[in-house]
């Protein structure tokens, strides 16, 4: 039970730079069409073990709060950033469960992976996706190609535009 949504794009920048943009939650309102805000971290940088709120963009300029837990984040120090080729990963998970009966209504593991393009370490293969599970994922899985996939593709295009424009 469950399904996966994934999108990838090649970005003309090193993986460390792409990862840096993905992990800079303070700037999400400036460019991110999928997550308008991520709150819960005092310095706007994810750390493993943190519990955050990812505000997912919805129609009519609304945002829906999604509680998430940071499972994995590759830290990039400024001194090794230039030499680091990745892969770099940010992964968070969250969901809705019914504890009394042990049923997972909906759950997801959202990931952003930046790795050097084979043969050209100055370019990044950026992979963004999510593994969905729980009983509510069954009907959503049937419609994922026209309800969800476009949002993942749009985020990838926005990351590419932001990174290649040199925006901080």
């Amino acid at each position: 039970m469950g399904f996966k949504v994934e999108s990838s794009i090649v970005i003309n920048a090193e993986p460390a730079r792409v990862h840096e943009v993905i992990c800079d939650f303070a700037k999400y309102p400036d460019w991110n069409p999928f997550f308008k805000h991520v709150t819960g971290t005092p310095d706007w940088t994810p750390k493993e073990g943190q519990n955050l709120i990812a505000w997912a963009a919805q129609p009519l300029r609304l945002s829906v709060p999604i509680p998430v837990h940071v499972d994995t984040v590759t830290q990039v120090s400024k001194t090794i950033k230039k030499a680091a080729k990745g892969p770099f990963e940010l992964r968070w998970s969250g969901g809705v469960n019914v504890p009394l009966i042990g049923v997972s209504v909906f759950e997801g593991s959202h990931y952003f992976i930046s790795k050097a393009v084979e043969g050209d370490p100055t370019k990044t293969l950026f992979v963004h996706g999510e593994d969905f599970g729980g009983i509510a994922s069954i009907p959503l899985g049937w419609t994922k190609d026209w309800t969800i996939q476009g949002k993942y593709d749009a985020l990838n295009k926005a990351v590419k535009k932001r990174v290649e424009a040199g925006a901080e």
Side-chain angles (χ1 to χ4, degrees):
M1 159 168 59
F3 66 95
K4 180 180 202 153
V5 173
E6 190 171 88
S7 182
S8 61
I9 195 167
V10 173
I11 300 174
N12 295 313
E14 292 184 351
R17 176 64 187 133
V18 176
H19 186 66
E20 186 177 57
V21 167
I22 286 298
C23 290
D24 188 357
F25 294 156
K27 304 279 175 53
Y28 272 26
D30 297 341
W31 66 268
N32 194 323
F34 196 144
F35 296 106
K36 297 320 258 175
H37 301 281
V38 176
T39 57
T41 175
D43 63 356
W44 296 99
T45 304
K47 297 188 179 44
E48 287 183 18
Q50 283 179 320
N51 292 314
L52 306 171
I53 303 292
W55 295 83
Q58 299 298 314
L60 303 176
R61 296 184 182 254
L62 300 174
S63 293
V64 174
I66 302 170
V68 298
H69 177 81
V70 178
D71 299 316
T72 306
V73 61
T74 307
Q75 298 295 334
V76 182
S77 74
K78 299 214 183 279
T79 56
I80 65 160
K81 186 166 67 170
K82 291 284 186 189
K85 303 299 178 206
F88 300 98
E89 181 176 4
L90 170 61
R91 180 181 295 265
W92 64 54
S93 60
V96 177
N97 297 301
V98 181
L100 295 177
I101 57 175
V103 173
S104 171
V105 177
F106 193 75
E107 58 192 35
S109 178
H110 204 113
Y111 56 89
F112 309 87
I113 300 169
S114 303
K115 57 186 175 182
V117 169
E118 192 170 327
D120 190 349
T122 65
K123 293 184 179 181
T124 300
L125 176 62
F126 178 68
V127 182
H128 165 227
E130 189 159 5
D131 296 311
F132 292 93
I135 58 175
S137 71
I138 296 169
L140 189 57
W142 299 329
T143 65
K144 70 178 176 151
D145 290 339
W146 54 272
T147 58
I148 302 173
Q149 186 67 49
K151 292 181 180 186
Y152 287 73
D153 296 340
L155 185 140
N156 284 14
K157 289 175 186 171
V159 170
K160 180 178 176 75
K161 182 178 177 183
R162 177 94 178 166
V163 171
E164 291 180 358
E168 289 298 317

